[in-house]
Amino acid sequence: MTHAGYRITGHSFLSLTIIYASIIVNAYIEFIYRLHRIGVSPLCPSLLDKYYAIRIPILCNILYFVLALFLAQMGVAMAQQCNTSGRMPTIFLPHGGGPMPILGAPSHKSLIKYLTGISKSVPKPTAILAVTAHWEADRVMVSTAEKPTMLYDYYGFPSEAYELQYQAPGSPTLAQRALSLLEAAGIPAAADSKRGFDHGTFVPLMLAFPDATTPVVQMSLHKSMDPRLHLSVGAALAPLRDEGVLIVSSGMSFHNMGVFHTNGFGMGPSPRKYKPSEDFDSWLQQTVTGSVGAQRSELLAAWTESPGARECHPREEHLIPLMVAAGAAGEDAGRTDYSDWFIGTKVSGFMFGG
């Protein structure tokens, strides 16, 4: 139930009903008592006198209690509404290796814990725009499917990895809104009604939003991997944050498969510590958290000049989603939301505006 722009909970509705009922009963008793005073009363006079003598303090206390409960419930409802109607943060998260976070791989223990806590750290979104590192095209593609399918874009895993389901609905309305914003910014974009959720989308969201009730629209990278272009994509999509949309950029702050395999990919925590990943992660954290707006964008656009850049990203498709999240953040500060050693490499996740 809604009232004056906010939701009334079941308890507060009951409280309101009790208040109204008490007022009606009190008015009726007042009417009967006044009839009694002029000699016309359908009730026993002695009982009525006794009741009238005690009813005022009792009813007042009851009404004060119920009114306090009602106001408290309304305050909670208003706070919840404010929490869900404010500007949403943007997130860059590491999604791990294939379906391994869902399969509970020991090497992903801390990452799993981080992903499962995301929904508790952000307001409830009206929808999610998922920017995935595993979709590239010659323009920015936006999924318009009402009921997206699953795309198991990995190989060599147990059979259950190919039976995973994430049945969140799509949102053609949000997709068209995103396409309109991109078009208005002069960014080449197009709709795709067939592509399903790839693991860059469904793996982290299965942990972060397991109820799968929030609509999800998936978005690709531009195959140019131009960081400035993707910063502009984020800036163009920034208005969605004021519409309750959570922009989730899914990638990895470190992604060198050769190093992962050398460090025993998927076999558990690695005793190795790959130094270039530590150097790059230090630079990345300082860049994201130590600057905002145009300055942060300029630093991120020049990421290849940072220490360990190409050792950590021989190809940058897993880093580029960060540009979208940062571009959409604008002047909002960024913070390190996750940082740990992951298969012998330093990996971080970030939240902007949260």
Side-chain angles (χ1 to χ4, degrees), residues 10-90:
H11 286 116
S12 58
F13 179 71
L14 177 61
S15 301
L16 189 59
T17 302
I18 293 173
I19 291 174
Y20 288 158
S22 299
I23 292 172
I24 292 171
V25 170
N26 191 50
Y28 176 73
I29 293 297
E30 180 69 25
F31 174 71
I32 295 297
Y33 182 76
R34 291 190 179 278
L35 287 178
H36 162 65
R37 293 293 298 271
I38 64 174
V40 180
S41 175
L43 300 178
C44 173
S46 61
L47 289 176
L48 192 57
D49 283 335
K50 291 178 181 178
Y51 172 77
Y52 195 80
I54 66 172
R55 75 176 177 88
I56 293 179
I58 290 177
L59 281 176
C60 284
N61 286 332
I62 291 175
L63 286 172
Y64 287 150
F65 173 77
V66 175
L67 182 60
L69 176 62
F70 171 70
L71 292 175
Q73 290 289 331
M74 295 293 277
V76 170
M78 292 176 69
Q80 290 175 338
Q81 179 67 17
C82 290
N83 194 37
T84 57
S85 63
R87 168 167 271 215
M88 296 296 290
T90 70

Side-chain angles (χ1 to χ4, degrees), residues 104-221:
S107 58
H108 288 57
K109 185 177 179 179
S110 72
L111 180 58
I112 293 170
K113 181 179 180 180
Y114 160 64
L115 292 173
T116 55
I118 285 178
S119 63
K120 301 178 183 65
S121 65
V122 299
K124 182 175 176 56
T126 59
I128 295 170
L129 180 65
V131 184
T132 173
H134 291 276
W135 188 10
E136 304 172 23
D138 59 2
R139 62 192 63 201
V140 177
M141 304 299 293
V142 181
S143 64
T144 57
E146 291 186 5
K147 296 181 179 179
T149 57
M150 300 291 285
L151 177 59
Y152 304 110
D153 53 337
Y154 41 66
Y155 59 91
F157 291 97
S159 59
E160 58 263 35
Y162 304 92
E163 298 170 358
L164 298 173
Q165 292 292 320
Y166 191 66
Q167 297 182 337
S171 175
T173 301
L174 172 58
Q176 291 301 326
R177 172 72 170 137
L179 286 166
S180 296
L181 290 170
L182 293 171
E183 180 182 3
I187 296 169
D192 186 304
S193 62
K194 296 181 179 179
R195 186 179 174 91
F197 293 144
D198 62 49
H199 79 270
T201 295
F202 75 76
V203 166
L205 294 187
M206 283 181 73
L207 293 172
F209 297 91
D211 59 4
T213 58
T214 303
V216 177
V217 169
Q218 188 172 245
M219 194 178 84
S220 79
L221 303 178

